[in-house]
Amino acid sequence: MKVSVILAILAGVVVTIAAPLAERNGQDIVPLPSIYDKAFQDAVINEHNKLRKGHCAQPLRWDNDLARLAQADVNTCAEHVEHMRAGSNLMGFDPAPVNWIETGFNCSWQWYSEEKKYDYQHPGFSDATGHFTQLVWRDSQRLGCAFAHCPGVNSVHSRFFCYYDPIGNYINPGMFEQNVWRKHSCAWEETPEIPAEP
C-alpha cells in the first residue's frame, strides 16, 4: 500500500475527546495511544531529545497541558491537516498505522529529515524546513503530542499533532542563529552522534 504523507508547520480549540478505536478496511485495529500513555510519551520525547542533543538544544519535557491542546485540536478532524496554533509540527498519513507509538517515533524522524535542506549560511524560516527548525529550536522546553483517526474526512485520515513551548520559528532578527545550531557545534566535551535513520 502506498503511504501518502502530508506535512505542515503552524498549529486552538480546547475540547478533550477520548481516543477512538481506529479502523482499517472496515476492521478494528489497535487503539490510539492516550496522551497519558508512558510508552507513547517516552517514544516521542526520547527521539526528539536525541535529535535535539546533536544541535546543542536542551532536552524537552512532556507537558500534559500541551498534549491536551494537541488532542483537542487533532480531534476536530478538520477536512485538511492544518495548523491551529504556532509552535506545532503536524503530520497526516494513510493508511492508519498498526503501531501508533512507532509511528510517533518515526514522525520525529520525518520532521528532522528536513535538516538537509536547511541553509545555515542564510538562517531563517522556510516551509521546506520549518518542522526541523521547530524540533531543534533551542529555546523550546516542553512538548505535548496526540494522535487522531478521522475516517469521515476526504483527505488523510490519520493525524499526529505536536505542540512546543516556548514556540519556535520566530522570524525576528537573530532568532534562527540563536536557536538553530549546526550539528555538533556544541562546546561540550563530547557531542553525541545523531542516531541513524530507522
Side-chain angles (χ1 to χ4, degrees):
M1 269 188 212
K2 185 174 179 182
V3 176
S4 66
V5 176
I6 295 179
L7 299 174
I9 300 173
L10 279 167
V13 177
V14 179
V15 177
T16 303
I17 300 172
L21 195 65
E23 289 185 12
R24 177 185 287 186
N25 298 328
Q27 299 205 353
D28 290 342
I29 62 168
V30 295
L32 283 70
S34 161
I35 59 173
Y36 305 107
D37 181 326
K38 186 79 167 97
F40 166 58
Q41 293 175 3
D42 287 348
V44 174
I45 210 87
N46 290 343
E47 192 58 22
H48 267 70
N49 286 338
K50 283 181 198 171
L51 298 169
R52 287 171 59 82
K53 191 170 186 180
H55 293 266
C56 315
Q58 65 186 316
L60 296 172
R61 295 183 319 273
W62 186 265
D63 186 286
N64 284 332
D65 290 336
L66 288 175
R68 283 189 286 270
L69 287 173
Q71 190 71 75
D73 288 350
V74 73
N75 280 345
T76 62
C77 288
E79 191 60 36
H80 300 286
V81 180
E82 57 193 3
H83 293 277
M84 298 182 181
R85 64 185 70 241
S88 63
N89 277 337
L90 317 179
M91 187 173 284
F93 40 89
D94 276 322
V98 173
N99 186 330
W100 291 92
I101 292 176
E102 182 178 314
T103 299
F105 169 93
N106 289 334
C107 286
S108 304
W109 261 108
Q110 289 291 325
W111 296 328
Y112 182 80
S113 69
E114 296 174 357
E115 191 268 343
K116 60 184 170 280
K117 302 178 202 166
Y118 188 70
D119 185 355
Y120 291 98
Q121 300 287 18
H122 302 93
F125 179 77
S126 163
D127 286 340
T129 59
H131 299 95
F132 158 70
T133 52
Q134 174 60 80
L135 192 149
V136 301
W137 196 262
R138 297 183 76 237
D139 283 349
S140 293
Q141 300 172 19
R142 293 173 297 281
L143 173 71
C145 304
F147 279 108
H149 186 67
C150 304
V153 298
N154 291 322
S155 63
V156 292
H157 301 110
S158 301
R159 290 130 187 247
F160 184 55
F161 284 21
C162 284
Y163 290 171
Y164 303 78
D165 187 68
I167 65 174
N169 287 334
Y170 275 105
I171 59 172
N172 293 1
M175 293 303 289
F176 278 81
E177 293 89 339
Q178 178 182 325
N179 284 283
V180 182
W181 288 15
R182 290 180 185 273
K183 282 189 277 192
H184 313 305
S185 60
C186 313
W188 306 334
E189 190 172 295
E190 282 187 41
T191 304
E193 290 295 316
I194 297 292
E197 185 169 352

